[in-house]
Amino acid sequence: MENSYHFILLSIGFIGQSFFFMRFFWQWIVSEKEHKSVIPAIFWHFSLFGSFFLLAYAIMRKDIVFIFGQSTGLIIYVRNIFLIKRENEKSTPSLCQNNTA
């Protein structure tokens, strides 16, 4: 029983770390392609998923410092995703708009 709990705990932690790695890896690939520093929207999604899994890991470990750090990060990541979505909606014309002149 304890071995399976330990395996699940480590799996959740490594999944979270993998998402955090992917956010930096993807940011690097996009920046190289653009020849400038770019933070693509997927960066924030990887951050959100990584933070979620690491928060679960921290809760399972009962680590209050880690819990606090990951839960505050979740708020920031969700807010950035919301801002990007709102900006995309503003820049995409609605199909219901009448664009006759």
Side-chain angles (χ1 to χ4, degrees):
M1 175 77 172
E2 185 163 323
N3 282 342
S4 62
Y5 177 79
H6 185 68
F7 176 77
I8 291 169
L9 182 65
L10 287 176
S11 296
I12 290 171
F14 277 116
I15 289 169
Q17 285 301 113
S18 297
F19 277 115
F20 270 106
F21 167 77
M22 283 305 299
R23 72 187 190 151
F24 290 118
F25 179 75
W26 198 256
Q27 189 269 335
W28 172 56
I29 296 297
V30 172
S31 293
E32 287 295 325
K33 186 177 178 182
E34 298 285 328
H35 301 286
K36 64 181 182 178
S37 182
V38 176
I39 298 179
I42 194 71
F43 177 91
W44 299 110
H45 290 91
F46 281 132
S47 298
L48 178 65
F49 294 134
S51 186
F52 173 79
F53 279 98
L54 289 176
L55 178 60
Y57 177 78
I59 290 170
M60 293 172 77
R61 291 194 47 137
K62 298 179 179 133
D63 185 331
I64 190 66
V65 174
F66 203 4
I67 292 168
F68 179 76
Q70 291 305 316
S71 57
T72 55
L74 275 173
I75 295 166
I76 295 166
Y77 306 142
V78 168
R79 178 68 176 153
N80 276 296
I81 291 169
F82 172 78
L83 292 172
I84 291 167
K85 183 178 179 190
R86 188 170 67 182
E87 184 64 29
N88 288 342
E89 288 171 356
K90 282 182 187 177
S91 64
T92 305
S94 172
L95 294 176
C96 297
Q97 289 178 336
N98 187 354
N99 291 333
T100 59

